[in-house]
Amino acid sequence: MPAFDEALQRAGEFGRFQRRVFLLLCLTGVTFAFLFVAVVFLGSRPERFWCRGPGAAALAERCGWSAEEEWNRTAPAGAGGSCRRLQLEAAGALANASASACADPLAAFPNRSAPLVPCRGGWRYLQARSTVVSQFDLVCGNAWMLDLTQAILNLGFLAGAFTLGYAADRYGRLVVYLISCFGVGVTGVVVAFAPNFPVFVVFRFLQGVFGKGTWMTCYVIVTEIVGSKQRRIVGIVIQMFFTLGIIILPGIAYFIPNWQGIQLAITLPNFLFLLYYWAVPESPRWLVTRKRGDEALKILRSIAKCNGRYLSPSCSEITVSDEEVSNPSFLDLVRTPQMRKCTLILMFAWFTSAVVYQGLVMRLGILGGNLYMDFFLSGVVELPGALLILLTIERCGRRLPFAASNLLAGVACLVTAFLPEGTPWLRTTVATLGRLGITMAFEIVYLVNSELYPTTLRNFGVSLCSGLCDFGGIIAPFLLFRLAAVWLDLPLIIFGVLASVCGGLVMLLPETKGIALPETVDDVEKLGSPPSYRCGRKQKTPVPGAPL
């Protein structure tokens, strides 16, 4: 009886069947990117807003002012956005004043200066586009609620990592993927038509839960249906589709004038993924670990037929492990020495990647400029990272590029923090190198994480470790803005230290280049210390007692 990897090799490790399934699942990366960063456009803050008191409201109605005219006549002078309003009613019966009040509402006040009072509601916005901010009045004292919506989304990602990651290892990859796609679609539609802010937040959380299920499960499926030599390609290319989503999103937002339309445009494609029920199979590797070898063999025969291969009659059965199948738990990830080391280092790597990546993105965003063009260029910057990974991880292994990308990000952040303020072009260039480095680290951690866990724990392990990414996403904005209030470049120092430490720690991980995916915990424990690699050739391990 052949082992699964041997049977897969006979059926074709990356033939027409795998390429078709791979490209279909890659589209999930585009929609997940939409969900991950859409708040930039859904919640863009209006440049001009003001508080409309009862006196101003009555006057605006009687005078027939446009929004622009009301802004010019009743908003506090020089305010791009004011958290207080002019108390126009203090001049007496302003609503019954003569027609001259329509031309100059402040004429009735001494020195043409009305008193300023706190706003109690009635916000007005001078903007062409509707956003979550204008929909739910998330300005001034309520401005923190917009940051809360992104934190809630990341909490949803975290909850999805635990619940749906566990479910995918117990009940199957495909069923959890399809349920997650349906959940993202339904909750996203509810978010678009949310009647109030609490409903918006609750369903934003649920959309995060299901969104994490779609992304992590599709990633695991594509790495399990191909051979070890192709994992590096599919693991990186699927993340290039995430970058493609970032590049596409500003175009969608530019042509759709309101946030509800943007939300629907980035949500409804998830319903199309339900058609994958007829196009994407369950992971045969997972079926083998659940002692369902006959079902796995049936899928392998379909793969072989599509790939123009033939499984000989000797492949009537697939070797099934005698290891007792149990439901995954966190203790399984830390019970043995090698698993424990891998889990702790990968958790730190996920956390660091999220904090530094999101921190640098937000830091570039506060520099101003054209939101759509800046966001588009920030996505384009990530593309060379994926290409560099494809060129290096097969020649140099996983660990060296993983460590080098973190160190590049760390050094770039530290250097940028101490560059003179008078050299903005140099600071931007070095900061861009940091963005490139952390993007590479973020993409490599996905690949390494899936390669270091056995099939019985892979989806749960990847989901759990990546939960630290979601935790990092929750604290990143607070870390950036609170520390920047003390010293503008202090966040860069924190980012630099985190990335540099991570670069050292990942060198302790075993090398996974060219190895078969581990099926059991024992397989992971046998990885041990790998031989060292230089780019392009394997180094000989010295023999004890032999001359160097």
Side-chain angles (χ1 to χ4, degrees):
M1 292 188 296
F4 176 81
D5 283 298
E6 183 182 350
L8 179 63
Q9 187 175 17
R10 297 178 186 177
E13 294 183 306
F14 197 53
R16 186 172 62 179
F17 185 93
Q18 285 99 331
R19 290 195 293 270
R20 183 190 68 194
V21 171
F22 170 62
L23 290 175
L24 288 174
L25 290 174
C26 275
L27 298 178
T28 309
V30 176
T31 57
F32 183 72
F34 292 162
L35 176 62
F36 192 75
V37 297
V39 70
V40 175
F41 300 100
L42 298 177
S44 59
R45 299 181 186 274
E47 294 183 2
R48 291 187 288 178
F49 63 90
W50 70 101
C51 183
R52 190 189 207 191
L59 194 59
E61 183 178 355
R62 183 162 62 85
C63 298
W65 286 335
S66 66
E68 182 78 30
E69 291 172 327
E70 185 177 348
W71 160 266
N72 291 331
R73 290 174 171 82
T74 66
S82 177
C83 296
R84 296 192 293 173
R85 68 176 179 85
L86 295 174
Q87 192 179 17
L88 297 181
E89 56 270 22
L94 185 59
N96 299 319
S98 63
S100 62
C102 293
D104 189 0
L106 299 179
F109 292 92
N111 300 322
R112 302 186 67 260
S113 179
L116 289 172
V117 295
C119 184
R120 303 298 181 190
W123 295 100
R124 293 275 284 170
Y125 304 92
L126 197 60
Q127 60 179 8
R129 297 170 176 266
S130 169
T131 70
V132 172
V133 173
S134 59
Q135 178 79 20
F136 301 115
D137 292 332
L138 306 183
V139 294
C140 295
N142 292 331
W144 62 274
M145 292 183 178
L146 180 63
D147 301 327
L148 175 67
T149 64
Q150 189 66 8
I152 289 294
L153 179 69
N154 278 278
L155 281 176
F157 290 155
L158 186 60
F162 282 92
T163 57
L164 297 180
Y166 170 86
D169 277 331
R170 182 172 183 180
Y171 303 110
R173 300 357 183 175
L174 184 61
V175 63
V176 171
Y177 173 78
L178 295 174
I179 290 173
S180 298
C181 290
F182 182 75
V184 172
V186 171
T187 55
V189 171
V190 175
V191 166
F193 297 102
N196 52 57
F197 187 70
V199 172
F200 177 88
V201 169
V202 168
F203 281 88
R204 182 104 167 128
F205 169 82
L206 293 175
Q207 195 176 22
V209 172
F210 291 116
K212 189 58 174 283
T214 64
W215 174 238
M216 296 308 302
T217 306
C218 86
Y219 188 90
V220 170
I221 290 175
V222 299
T223 58
E224 289 186 339
I225 64 171
V226 301
S228 62
K229 294 181 180 179
Q230 289 77 33
R231 288 200 308 269
R232 68 180 183 91
I233 298 176
V234 301
I236 301 303
V237 173
I238 194 172
Q239 292 175 81
M240 294 178 69
F241 277 78
F242 179 92
T243 299
L244 180 62
I246 291 179
I247 294 173
I248 293 173
L249 181 60
I252 295 174
Y254 181 81
F255 289 105
I256 300 178
N258 58 74
W259 75 269
Q260 290 96 339
I262 297 173
Q263 174 68 16
L264 290 176
I266 65 178
T267 294
L268 294 179
N270 285 277
F271 289 115
L272 296 177
F273 297 152
L274 298 178
L275 299 175
Y276 289 2
Y277 175 81
W278 293 278
V280 177
E282 179 56 87
S283 167
R285 193 182 294 271
W286 175 82
L287 289 171
V288 169
T289 65
R290 306 303 289 190
K291 302 186 183 303
R292 294 159 63 179
D294 291 342
E295 296 177 52
L297 184 60
K298 183 178 179 180
I299 294 174
L300 284 174
R301 292 193 183 281
S302 298
I303 293 174
K305 182 178 180 181
C306 185
N307 291 344
R309 299 289 191 92
Y310 173 72
L311 287 183
S312 64
S314 63
C315 289
S316 59
E317 294 182 48
I318 296 178
T319 302
V320 176
S321 173
D322 293 330
E323 184 176 295
E324 186 64 29
V325 177
S326 59
N327 296 324
S329 71
F330 176 72
L331 290 179
D332 295 326
L333 304 181
V334 296
R335 183 174 287 116
T336 57
Q338 185 84 291
M339 288 285 290
R340 182 165 52 250
K341 179 180 69 174
C342 293
T343 296
L344 295 178
I345 293 177
L346 288 169
M347 282 182 168
F348 184 75
W350 277 105
F351 173 80
T352 299
S353 296
V355 170
V356 179
Y357 179 86
Q358 294 196 36
L360 291 179
V361 170
M362 289 185 293
R363 186 176 183 275
L364 291 174
I366 63 177
L367 298 179
N370 186 306
L371 175 63
Y372 304 98
M373 182 57 66
D374 290 346
F375 200 87
F376 170 79
L377 293 177
S378 74
V380 172
V381 166
E382 296 185 7
L383 289 177
L387 297 176
L388 285 173
I389 294 171
L390 290 174
L391 292 174
T392 58
I393 62 173
E394 195 60 26
R395 292 173 58 84
C396 307
R398 275 53 161 165
R399 294 188 308 163
L400 287 178
F402 197 5
S405 58
N406 275 288
L407 290 173
L408 174 62
V411 172
C413 288
L414 292 172
V415 170
T416 303
F418 294 101
L419 284 175
E421 291 291 340
T423 56
W425 63 271
L426 181 59
R427 290 171 63 88
T428 300
T429 301
V430 178
T432 300
L433 288 176
R435 172 73 182 273
L436 176 64
I438 202 60
T439 297
M440 292 177 63
F442 220 152
E443 295 180 353
I444 295 175
V445 72
Y446 274 96
L447 176 64
V448 173
N449 203 160
S450 64
E451 291 182 334
L452 283 177
Y453 281 122
T455 303
T456 52
L457 297 169
R458 185 167 297 118
N459 209 101
F460 181 68
V462 172
S463 298
L464 186 65
C465 289
S466 68
L468 271 292
C469 163
D470 306 322
F471 179 70
I474 293 171
I475 71 170
F478 302 100
L479 185 65
L480 175 71
F481 296 118
R482 295 293 174 253
L483 293 181
V486 178
W487 176 29
L488 183 61
D489 291 323
L490 182 56
L492 288 178
I493 296 177
I494 303 299
F495 299 157
V497 171
L498 284 173
S500 299
V501 171
C502 185
L505 288 176
V506 299
M507 288 300 294
L508 301 177
L509 294 172
E511 179 59 69
T512 57
K513 173 190 171 184
I515 66 170
L517 280 177
E519 301 290 348
T520 66
V521 172
D522 287 340
D523 292 340
V524 177
E525 292 303 308
K526 293 175 184 177
L527 291 178
S529 299
S532 60
Y533 283 87
R534 287 182 184 173
C535 291
R537 60 191 182 96
K538 179 179 174 181
Q539 301 301 299
K540 295 182 179 180
T541 303
V543 178
L548 297 177

